[in-house]
């Protein structure tokens, strides 16, 4: 079953403020996420709703960061931080990951989505 705005807000209470995150805005990103993951819920081994919600949250976060000019969330995962001198280190991308995987891995929601996707969807297997 597809993630609804109500499901989204229940699963992700950090988006419960209807003023900051109005229903139509959340729905917009849930619609985008649905286009990306398709409508075949059977492929998602019973985790379609979760995958849909997490991908929607990832897209919402990335879209919001872009709007306010925060380009830091579009880089790789943070591998180290410092506070006093303000320093941030980004993880080096593994060669077996795609650019799209890097995009998903840039937020905790995208990482949750990747985890679900990687356990439910299998790439092409070739047998000898």
């Amino acid at each position: 079953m597809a993630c609804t705005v109500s499901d989204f807000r229940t699963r992700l209470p950090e988006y419960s403020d209807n003023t900051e995150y109005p229903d139509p805005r959340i729905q917009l990103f849930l619609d985008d996420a649905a286009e990306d993951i398709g409508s075949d819920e059977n492929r998602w081994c019973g985790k379609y709703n979760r995958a849909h919600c997490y991908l929607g949250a990832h897209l919402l976060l990335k879209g919001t960061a872009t709007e306010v000019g925060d380009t830091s969330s579009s880089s790789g995962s943070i591998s180290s931080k410092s506070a006093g001198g303000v320093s941030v280190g980004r993880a080096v991308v593994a060669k077996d990951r795609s650019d799209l995987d890097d995009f998903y891995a840039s937020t905790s929601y995208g990482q949750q989505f990747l985890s679900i996707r990687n356990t439910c969807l299998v790439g092409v297997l070739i047998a000898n």
Side-chain angles (χ1 to χ4, degrees):
M1 161 168 107
C3 179
T4 64
V5 172
S6 177
D7 295 336
F8 185 91
R9 291 188 192 279
T10 299
R11 181 173 300 280
L12 306 162
E14 58 270 34
Y15 290 110
S16 63
D17 184 342
N18 197 27
T19 302
E20 188 172 355
Y21 303 103
D23 288 354
R25 178 148 177 85
I26 290 175
Q27 188 61 58
L28 174 74
F29 286 99
L30 287 175
D31 291 347
D32 290 348
E35 286 180 21
D36 290 349
I37 64 175
S39 60
D40 185 1
E41 296 180 20
N42 295 324
R43 296 180 57 210
W44 292 91
C45 55
K47 299 176 184 177
Y48 184 88
N49 182 281
R50 279 179 38 211
H52 187 195
C53 281
Y54 282 125
L55 182 55
H58 170 77
L59 296 173
L60 174 60
L61 181 60
K62 297 296 276 187
T64 302
T66 301
E67 288 173 8
V68 295
D70 178 8
T71 58
S72 65
S73 66
S74 63
S75 302
S77 303
I78 294 176
S79 62
S80 64
K81 296 181 186 179
S82 297
V86 185
S87 173
V88 175
R90 299 282 175 189
V92 176
V93 177
K95 294 213 183 272
D96 62 340
R97 285 194 358 199
S98 72
D99 289 341
L100 189 56
D101 284 359
D102 294 337
F103 171 71
Y104 294 142
S106 65
T107 70
S108 61
Y109 307 119
Q111 291 168 19
Q112 290 288 335
F113 170 75
L114 277 175
S115 177
I116 295 166
R117 186 204 67 187
N118 292 343
T119 58
C120 295
L121 304 180
V122 178
V124 176
L125 297 176
I126 300 173
N128 289 332

